[in-house]
């Protein structure tokens, strides 16, 4: 059984073809610069195997439909493709960013589901329309194939009101749906499931803190397998210090910037989303560059690292307080999986709460999921690679099997 996983952006389509029996990736790729003068498709067949082969096509790709048709042409190429024809695809999974309060789980796409995704456009004005483009095109091309929407927000729909309500006039929630939704849900759920397997008990009995540190960063408190709090908010701007996003700031900042610097709301939004976080603090948003700069004596880079890991530590402490008992802390995504310094700094001083990191294990580099705490650590610490496409594919399998 082969699944086609699609993550459609405003000018891009990221995709994978996954063979579900073995959960192996047959092809992965990215179409980008859709609508620009010259678009680009990069496709890799059998990634990470001796048969890996890459191809790049550059040509005008006016819209998502032509982008998708180009992907299909490459995937079904007689000599270089991975499938004979499109009938080999038995289901399609679409990443959808915002499901609002309408979706607590992944769901088969119907006209009603499309309407509900549209209804949530005000909550994700950049992402949901782009996700809908991918859905529309795939429904047109693969009319007979079951298609499933997998929402970034769905895993967090178990949060209680005390965690998701902002202390604002309640009419803003009741009439305008202003509340915390949380994102990265597919990743948090995936690594939580893998962690439960490593702990040797059902996810429904696990209390975990999952720490997703990539270009975007978020943390989730999971009680008995369910998300009860998470750091991203109504939009993916709140919480931890990210690559270019500020995370928590004083909400009065907007007024200050308007009154003192004459900035318009759109400019402030761009500042907080694109020019802040690690990049704002030190001019770099890739953690590898930041470490090199710290080694070379760059004080701003050292401060950026300190601000990010201090914020991580604060959130971990807060989530330990709300959970009471914690079985495991899980680090994942680009920084979480690879950066021993960030992990150690983020856990520094938490020994009194039962977190005892094994410094040697933490420093060992590996691609596999692993435990990096000392044998007798009451709270175990894990590094678990996230795999959002596989997580989406497993969701699709659950929905299709009913
Ligand atoms: P992601 O969004 O999960 O793809 O993560 C991307 C980020 O992970 C990059 O911007 C880097 O900051 C970080 N990253 C990737 N590899 C490493 C590494 N080996 N060490 C430290 N950070 C890394």
């Amino acid at each position: 059984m082969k699944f086609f996983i699609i993550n459609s952006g405003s000018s891009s389509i990221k995709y994978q073809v996954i063979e579900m029996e073995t959960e192996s990736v047959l092809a992965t790729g990215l179409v980008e610069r859709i609508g620009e003068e010259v678009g680009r498709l990069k496709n890799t067949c059998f990634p990470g195997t001796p048969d890996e082969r890459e191809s790049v096509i550059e040509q005008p790709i006016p819209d998502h439909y032509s982008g998708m048709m180009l992907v299909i042409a490459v995937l079904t190429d007689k000599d270089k493709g991975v499938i004979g024809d499109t009938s080999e695809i038995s289901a399609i999974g679409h990443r959808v960013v915002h499901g609002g309060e309408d979706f607590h789980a992944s769901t088969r796409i119907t006209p009603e589901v499309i309407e509900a995704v549209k209804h949530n456009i005000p909550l994700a004005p950049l992402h949901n329309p782009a996700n809908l483009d991918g859905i529309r095109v795939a429904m047109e091309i693969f009319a007979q194939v079951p298609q499933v929407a997998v929402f970034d927000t769905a895993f967090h729909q178990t949060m209680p009101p005390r965690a998701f309500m902002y202390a604002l006039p309640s009419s803003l929630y009741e009439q305008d749906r202003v509340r915390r939704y949380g994102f990265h849900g597919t990743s948090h759920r995936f690594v939580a499931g893998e962690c439960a397997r490593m702990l040797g008990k059902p996810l429904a009995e696990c209390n975990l803190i999952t720490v997703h540190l990539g270009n975007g960063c978020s943390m989730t408190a999971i009680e008995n397998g369910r998300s009860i709090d998470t750091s991203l908010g109504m939009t993916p701007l709140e919480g931890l210090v990210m690559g270019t996003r500020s995370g928590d700031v004083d909400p009065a900042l907007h007024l200050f910037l308007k009154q003192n610097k004459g900035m318009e709301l759109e400019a402030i939004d761009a500042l907080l989303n694109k020019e802040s976080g690690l990049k704002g603090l030190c001019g770099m948003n890739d953690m590898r560059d930041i470490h090199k700069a710290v080694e070379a004596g760059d004080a701003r880079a050292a401060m950026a690292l300190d601000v990010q890991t201090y914020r991580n530590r604060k959130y971990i402490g807060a989530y330990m307080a709300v959970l009471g008992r914690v079985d495991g802390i899980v680090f994942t995504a680009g920084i979480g999986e690879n950066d021993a310094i960030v992990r150690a700094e983020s856990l520094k001083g938490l020994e009194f709460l039962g977190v005892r990191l094994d410094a040697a294990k933490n420093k060992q580099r590996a691609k596999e999921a692993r435990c990096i705490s000392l044998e007798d650590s009451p709270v175990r610490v894990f590094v678990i690679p996230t795999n959002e496409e596989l997580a989406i594919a497993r969701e699709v399998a659950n929905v299709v099997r009913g």
Side-chain angles (χ1 to χ4, degrees):
M1 214 163 46
K2 297 180 184 89
F3 287 180
F4 191 26
I5 308 302
I6 298 170
N7 181 354
S8 174
S10 56
S11 63
S12 67
I13 305 170
K14 225 172 127 182
Y15 64 89
Q16 280 194 359
V17 179
I18 300 181
E19 171 55 75
M20 289 308 289
E21 272 74 40
T22 51
E23 292 193 335
S24 52
V25 179
L26 301 180
T28 181
L30 174 67
V31 184
E32 49 189 345
R33 297 186 219 139
I34 294 173
E36 289 181 29
E37 213 169 298
V38 184
R40 184 174 193 265
L41 162 65
K42 183 176 164 194
N43 180 75
T44 309
C45 297
F46 311 112
T49 73
D51 298 328
E52 176 172 321
R53 55 173 187 261
E54 202 177 281
S55 54
V56 175
I57 297 173
E58 291 195 342
Q59 63 177 61
I61 304 174
D63 51 28
H64 283 71
Y65 184 88
S66 44
M68 192 75 81
M69 291 308 281
L70 190 60
V71 172
I72 291 167
V74 169
L75 294 176
T76 56
D77 185 274
K78 235 178 3 61
D79 303 318
K80 295 188 198 147
V82 294
I83 53 174
D85 62 70
T86 51
S87 68
E88 285 182 40
I89 300 292
S90 36
I92 299 180
H94 295 269
R95 178 181 183 219
V96 181
V97 165
H98 220 307
E101 291 187 326
D102 297 312
F103 299 101
H104 296 230
S106 304
T107 185
R108 181 98 175 236
I109 298 176
T110 61
E112 291 74 30
V113 169
I114 291 175
E115 280 313 303
V117 175
K118 281 188 193 159
H119 170 70
N120 286 311
I121 286 177
L123 297 172
L126 297 179
H127 292 100
N128 274 22
N131 300 154
L132 280 166
D133 276 340
I135 291 174
R136 184 179 43 77
V137 164
M139 300 277 275
E140 209 174 314
I141 299 171
F142 296 88
Q144 307 306 322
V145 180
Q147 314 222 6
V148 174
V150 178
F151 299 93
D152 263 23
T153 49
F155 180 55
H156 302 300
Q157 277 297 301
T158 47
M159 280 190 290
R162 65 169 170 254
F164 75 65
M165 285 298 285
Y166 292 124
L168 296 168
S170 52
S171 59
L172 276 175
Y173 169 61
E174 287 147 13
Q175 290 163 22
D176 301 289
R177 300 183 292 148
V178 172
R179 51 158 284 180
R180 174 187 310 286
Y181 291 95
F183 299 85
H184 294 154
T186 324
S187 170
H188 287 287
R189 190 201 328 239
F190 179 81
V191 297
E194 296 294 301
C195 185
R197 279 204 302 136
M198 294 173 79
L199 286 164
K201 57 182 191 174
L203 180 59
E205 291 172 19
C206 291
N207 281 9
L208 306 170
I209 297 172
T210 48
V211 187
H212 178 112
L213 301 177
N215 219 347
C217 299
S218 66
M219 200 179 296
T220 298
I222 296 174
E223 186 179 58
N224 297 323
R226 293 152 63 93
S227 168
I228 60 156
D229 204 348
T230 194
S231 61
L232 290 171
M234 181 169 111
T235 74
L237 185 56
E238 199 180 339
L240 307 179
V241 176
M242 307 178 224
T244 63
R245 288 177 252 165
S246 64
D248 296 338
V249 291
D250 186 330
L253 179 68
H254 287 72
L255 188 65
F256 177 89
L257 292 175
K258 166 90 178 138
Q259 287 180 338
N260 290 281
K261 299 191 72 80
M263 287 175 75
E264 295 304 326
L265 279 179
E266 288 71 20
I268 298 171
D269 190 55
L271 175 100
L272 292 172
N273 276 290
K274 297 189 179 136
E275 301 300 330
S276 297
L278 297 169
K279 183 180 175 195
L281 286 164
C282 71
M284 291 166 269
N285 64 327
D286 190 306
M287 200 44 102
R288 290 161 289 196
D289 297 336
I290 293 176
H291 285 304
K292 277 188 213 140
V294 172
E295 277 168 30
D298 183 329
R300 283 211 180 112
M303 181 183 61
L305 187 64
D306 202 25
V307 173
Q308 193 196 47
T309 54
Y310 174 75
R311 180 91 48 92
N312 293 344
R313 204 149 71 226
K314 227 163 70 164
Y315 267 85
I316 291 171
Y319 287 171
M320 291 187 86
V322 300
L323 286 168
R325 186 200 90 232
V326 178
D327 300 302
I329 298 173
V330 183
F331 286 91
T332 193
I335 299 173
E337 290 165 29
N338 294 299
D339 196 321
I341 295 173
V342 168
R343 289 192 298 258
E345 288 294 312
S346 303
L347 298 174
K348 198 165 77 181
L350 298 184
E351 292 82 3
F352 78 106
L353 290 170
V355 184
R356 302 189 59 219
L357 195 63
D358 182 324
K361 281 190 191 157
N362 181 42
K363 279 191 197 130
Q364 266 165 23
R365 296 194 62 84
K367 282 199 168 148
E368 294 74 38
R370 58 203 184 275
C371 178
I372 56 166
S373 48
L374 292 168
E375 293 288 322
D376 61 353
S377 179
V379 177
R380 297 177 72 192
V381 183
F382 297 89
V383 177
I384 301 182
T386 193
N387 187 337
E388 287 193 72
E389 285 78 13
L390 179 58
I392 292 173
R394 286 183 187 170
E395 288 284 316
V396 173
N398 284 338
V399 172
V400 171
R401 287 186 197 124

